[in-house]
Amino acid sequence: MADNWSIEDAEELYGVKRWGAGYFSIGDNGSIKITPNHRLPDVTIDMQEVMDEIIAEGIQLPAVIRFHDILRSQVEILNETFAQTIEDAKYNGKYVGVFPIKVNQMREVVEEIMDAGEPYNYGLEAGSKPELMAVLAYNENPNALTILNGYKDEDYLTLALLGRQLGRKMIIVIEKFSELEMLIPLAKKLGVEPMIGLRSKMMVRSSGKWAGSSGDRAKFGLSITEILNIVDLLKKEDMLHCAKLLHFHIGSQLSDIRKIKEAVSEGARLYAKLIQMGVPLEYLDIGGGLGIDYDGTSSTTDSSRNYSTEEYVADVVYGVKQICQLEDVPHPNLVSESGRAITAHHSCVVTNIVGEIKNTGAQFDITRAEGEHILVSNMRELITAADMHPQERYNDAASFKQSTYEAFKLGILSLEEMAKIDTMYWQILAEIHDSLDRETFVFQELEELEDMLASQYLCNFSIFQSAADTWAIGQVLPIVPITRLNEKPEVRCSIVDITCDSDGKLSKYIEGTEISDNIPMHTLRKGETYHVGMFLTGAYQDVMGDMHNLFGRLTEVHIYCHDDEDGDFYIEEVVPGTSAEKVLETMQYNTDYMAKTVKKWLDREVRKGKIAPREGVRWTDYYEKCLAGTTYLKV
Ligand SMILES: *Cc1c(COP(=O)(O)O)cnc(C)c1O
């Protein structure tokens, strides 16, 4: 280990403990360490050992690794925090949360959450017909809630009533007045009594990327006028007793606790007024929004939050209690639809760096040639001008470079001269960068210079498949080397993916408590694979990805911790990623036809005697094997 570098330095640089929420840290061996079970702090998994096993089993990278124990821990922590706070506050209601499956619909994820949540009667939330069909089959606990949000048609409502027939607590949350007009005759016709929720459009404006979920122009929810009209209609139909729940959701990833407090008091006030009007509400559903500290700054940036789960829960429980006291109404049972907070930590994407793209990489022999152009000589003089003021030297280099381009367009410079100037230009920039004394010297273009000199590490994955929000909304996700963290990372680089899209890159990195345009990583070594992990991908990222460039879903590795096993873990299941064939088929290609076409052309060449028959068969087999294989780079 280098003297001037410690594990603490690595932890500080990549912010591992700040975003790791107790689950991630760096081991003494310089490898990422996972403590997946919040009740068993001594059971730890070494990520290097996980990688070794993945590779030994021949699993192709990139892969999603799911730590099921983290998922269970998050379910337990949320439920127990509510239970404890409710007890401390002498609050009369219970907490009966639901997991919104849109955040991660993977069957194994939903099953694990239901299993871990059983003791707490933790339920599920659906926001569409297919999600409703899934939760109907997977929430079998008659004491747990199933909350049904989103826009509804007659089938959606009928399926919800089917759930009532099965004895489930299915709550149909009315988003629009017309849904109720559809529901009432349907329920009467089928002779099923629905449980009804009302989604209120909130006045509080949340901040951040999902601010549009509240306010007058929100897509979802009922205005006060509409709520009163609904109450009237229910009364008229003798169905007011069906109104069980008041719901609001002001947005996801709420970064500022003040907005949460405001929303809670607005919602609780509305609940109280409705109770006073005789609406027999039993539940107050505060929606999602519990944030994740992705960038580890504990602040109100879009990728962070300025509160803990304990503070969030306390603000909800004490906030609702206080308003109920003031309004003299009973305490409602509390529901939250926390999705991000339950799943974000449990999965990560592991992959390898397959190459480096570097401006300073290619070298051309810069020896002086007889009669060379003045621009070449000028640039050469700058190489030896080490005593020159760095700013001046930088400006000169940039200006010669620009003149070179102009000269080339006029046909004055040869390709060799261009290559020489280019080689020298990058050499000069690197020298300026290395010689700068950052403490004392103010260099205006420092960031620009660092960005120009940064390498690009080509990473075997697709941003569009695995980290959609980094591309779409500028979300920060931690990216960290999996090993060698006991070595000082010496290369500044940015991470680019293997799609043919110049947008296919990560543009924000955690560097200490700052967000940078690039990040230090280790020098790549010949013959040694460099593994990196992208963390906190379990919420939305896992399931939102698209097939840009026809890169498919990743292979999944499901891991459980177990202290009797070597390394305290075992791989419970490997779910193969989407094959090239499957991805092509979703775009309506007929892969049988494709294979036959290639074979037809090969046969033709064989008949012509250009390819030996045996060789023809080998090519045919090879094409078919690639169709069945991975869409990512095999390395
Ligand atoms: C998306 C959504 C959620 C989940 O929000 P998180 O911020 O992930 O907890 C909850 N409720 C509704 C209505 C949603 O649309």
Side-chain angles (χ1 to χ4, degrees):
M1 194 195 299
D3 294 342
N4 60 346
W5 187 254
S6 68
I7 298 296
E8 289 70 39
D9 292 331
E11 238 154 27
E12 173 57 29
L13 170 65
Y14 296 110
V16 179
K17 281 197 174 151
R18 283 191 293 266
W19 52 258
Y23 298 116
F24 299 96
S25 58
I26 301 176
D28 294 335
N29 61 352
S31 162
I32 293 279
K33 186 169 93 177
I34 299 112
T35 313
N37 187 327
H38 70 118
R39 296 207 176 106
L40 304 172
D42 295 332
V43 178
T44 60
I45 299 175
D46 181 343
M47 198 80 168
Q48 179 58 54
E49 287 181 34
V50 174
M51 293 310 292
D52 290 347
E53 187 153 337
I54 283 178
I55 287 153
E57 295 210 0
I59 297 165
Q60 291 290 333
L61 297 179
V64 170
I65 302 189
R66 294 194 191 287
F67 294 100
H68 282 251
D69 300 86
I70 294 184
L71 206 48
R72 300 186 75 88
S73 293
Q74 287 296 89
V75 172
E76 288 163 11
I77 289 170
L78 183 66
N79 278 283
E80 283 167 18
T81 308
F82 264 106
Q84 188 59 51
T85 311
I86 280 172
E87 195 187 316
D88 294 347
K90 302 197 171 56
Y91 186 87
N92 296 326
K94 288 193 299 254
Y95 172 70
V96 272
V98 290
F99 171 68
I101 71 166
K102 74 153 191 259
V103 181
N104 197 320
Q105 300 101 336
M106 277 291 294
R107 175 179 53 81
E108 290 89 340
V109 170
V110 173
E111 280 177 345
E112 196 70 64
I113 289 172
M114 285 315 283
D115 190 60
E118 233 242 38
Y120 316 103
N121 293 323
Y122 196 60
L124 293 175
E125 185 262 8
S128 69
K129 228 182 320 184
E131 286 188 356
L132 162 54
M133 286 184 251
V135 298
L136 200 51
Y138 281 88
N139 183 3
E140 294 186 88
N141 179 352
N143 298 317
L145 298 180
T146 301
I147 306 267
L148 303 173
N149 290 317
Y151 291 123
K152 302 162 189 78
D153 63 4
E154 200 167 301
D155 282 340
Y156 189 129
L157 295 171
T158 310
L159 285 164
L161 294 172
L162 165 63
R164 290 295 294 142
Q165 293 288 63
L166 307 178
R168 310 277 179 72
K169 291 188 173 157
M170 312 283 280
I171 301 188
I172 300 169
V173 178
I174 302 293
E175 306 262 12
K176 281 196 320 187
F177 191 78
S178 58
E179 290 173 357
L180 188 65
E181 291 175 317
M182 213 186 326
L183 174 64
I184 292 173
L186 199 61
K188 290 199 166 157
K189 187 177 90 190
L190 296 171
V192 184
E193 194 165 279
M195 293 172 83
I196 294 174
L198 306 175
R199 177 165 182 174
S200 159
K201 191 177 276 190
M202 298 291 276
M203 287 172 273
V204 56
R205 289 293 297 190
S206 67
S207 47
K209 303 285 186 190
W210 290 271
S213 307
S214 66
D216 287 338
R217 294 283 299 154
K219 191 167 94 176
F220 293 108
L222 306 157
S223 66
I224 303 274
T225 315
E226 286 169 312
I227 290 180
L228 293 186
N229 288 342
I230 283 179
V231 171
D232 278 347
L233 180 59
L234 287 174
K235 264 191 202 152
K236 205 174 89 211
E237 298 285 344
D238 199 18
M239 285 175 74
L240 192 59
H241 60 281
C242 297
K244 302 281 189 197
L245 174 142
L246 178 68
H247 174 276
F248 63 85
H249 171 74
I250 64 164
S252 196
Q253 184 61 18
L254 299 173
S255 54
D256 190 350
I257 188 81
R258 281 179 313 171
K259 293 292 170 192
I260 295 167
K261 286 189 202 201
E262 264 183 70
V264 165
S265 52
E266 184 184 338
R269 207 53 94 161
L270 184 57
Y271 157 83
K273 301 289 181 202
L274 288 169
I275 291 280
Q276 289 162 352
M277 285 176 59
V279 187
L281 298 170
E282 294 171 25
Y283 302 93
L284 178 62
D285 180 347
I286 59 169
L290 177 52
I292 290 286
D293 195 2
Y294 290 100
D295 65 18
T297 59
S298 306
S299 71
T300 56
T301 65
D302 289 342
S303 297
S304 186
R305 62 174 194 182
N306 67 351
Y307 55 91
S308 65
T309 301
E310 288 76 14
E311 285 164 326
Y312 171 84
V313 170
D315 277 343
V316 172
V317 173
Y318 287 94
V320 175
K321 183 182 170 195
Q322 187 187 25
I323 286 178
C324 290
Q325 237 149 15
L326 292 169
E327 296 276 359
D328 196 23
V329 294
H331 300 170
N333 293 316
L334 296 170
V335 182
S336 81
E337 304 172 346
S338 311
R340 189 185 294 279
I342 295 290
T343 57
H345 292 95
H346 92 282
S347 82
C348 59
V349 173
V350 291
T351 187
N352 47 334
I353 301 293
V354 289
E356 180 176 9
I357 304 160
K358 202 160 106 179
N359 283 331
T360 49
Q363 302 284 334
F364 196 80
D365 182 0
I366 56 168
T367 323
R368 176 188 298 277
E370 202 58 42
E372 71 179 9
H373 192 274
I374 179 80
L375 278 169
V376 186
S377 320
N378 283 350
M379 200 64 110
R380 182 173 289 106
E381 271 165 33
L382 278 184
I383 288 192
T384 46
D387 325 330
M388 209 167 153
H389 190 279
Q391 185 77 54
E392 211 178 311
R393 198 175 171 206
Y394 177 78
N395 294 346
D396 280 1
S399 128
F400 293 155
K401 172 97 168 152
Q402 181 60 33
S403 310
T404 304
Y405 174 58
E406 302 298 338
F408 181 70
K409 280 194 295 183
L410 292 172
I412 296 167
L413 285 177
S414 70
L415 286 175
E416 282 80 7
E417 285 171 323
M418 289 286 288
K420 280 184 183 176
I421 292 177
D422 201 53
T423 303
M424 293 190 281
Y425 172 74
W426 289 111
Q427 188 181 332
I428 292 160
L429 258 50
E431 276 175 26
I432 294 174
H433 179 262
D434 294 346
S435 69
L436 280 181
D437 181 357
R438 278 154 215 235
E439 304 297 318
T440 57
F441 187 72
V442 183
F443 189 73
Q444 276 163 359
E445 292 91 350
L446 181 61
E447 248 177 63
E448 182 183 299
L449 184 61
E450 280 190 334
D451 222 32
M452 282 160 77
L453 290 170
S455 284
Q456 298 185 75
Y457 272 16
L458 187 58
C459 193
N460 190 15
F461 81 132
S462 156
I463 302 270
F464 307 95
Q465 175 62 247
S466 296
D469 279 345
T470 65
W471 170 75
I473 56 169
Q475 155 106 58
V476 181
L477 287 176
I479 184 149
V480 185
I482 286 171
T483 53
R484 291 177 62 185
L485 290 159
N486 49 1
E487 292 171 35
K488 186 169 184 182
E490 307 266 19
V491 187
R492 283 207 83 84
C493 63
S494 58
I495 303 284
V496 296
D497 74 4
I498 56 170
T499 65
C500 302
D501 193 317
S502 38
D503 259 5
K505 63 177 186 203
L506 294 176
S507 48
K508 289 180 183 173
Y509 304 88
I510 297 167
E511 185 171 3
T513 52
E514 307 279 315
I515 302 301
S516 293
D517 297 341
N518 42 59
I519 188 181
M521 292 256 169
H522 301 94
T523 331
L524 302 180
R525 292 186 190 133
K526 273 218 161 56
E528 190 179 301
T529 320
Y530 189 59
H531 290 128
V532 296
M534 189 163 61
F535 294 86
L536 311 186
T537 57
Y540 303 101
Q541 312 315 302
D542 270 355
V543 291
M544 271 193 337
D546 71 14
M547 301 194 302
H548 195 14
N549 261 159
L550 298 187
F551 287 113
R553 286 187 60 81
L554 278 60
T555 298
E556 298 222 352
V557 181
H558 293 247
I559 290 185
Y560 282 84
C561 76
H562 198 285
D563 47 9
D564 288 346
E565 297 285 338
D566 266 1
D568 285 350
F569 77 94
Y570 65 97
I571 295 179
E572 185 251 3
E573 192 187 12
V574 177
V575 188
T578 331
S579 61
E581 201 162 48
K582 276 269 156 54
V583 175
L584 284 159
E585 278 162 13
T586 60
M587 293 289 160
Q588 296 282 62
Y589 287 90
N590 181 331
T591 50
D592 284 341
Y593 170 80
M594 287 160 56
K596 273 193 202 120
T597 307
V598 171
K599 183 171 183 317
K600 185 178 79 189
W601 282 89
L602 280 164
D603 286 348
R604 196 181 290 190
E605 297 302 301
V606 169
R607 276 199 306 277
K608 280 198 254 169
K610 289 204 171 156
I611 297 179
R614 214 181 270 276
E615 204 185 331
V617 172
R618 265 206 303 272
W619 280 118
T620 310
D621 288 352
Y622 180 72
Y623 183 78
E624 283 172 12
K625 200 179 96 197
C626 288
L627 275 177
T630 173
T631 56
Y632 292 90
L633 300 182
K634 241 162 92 179
V635 270

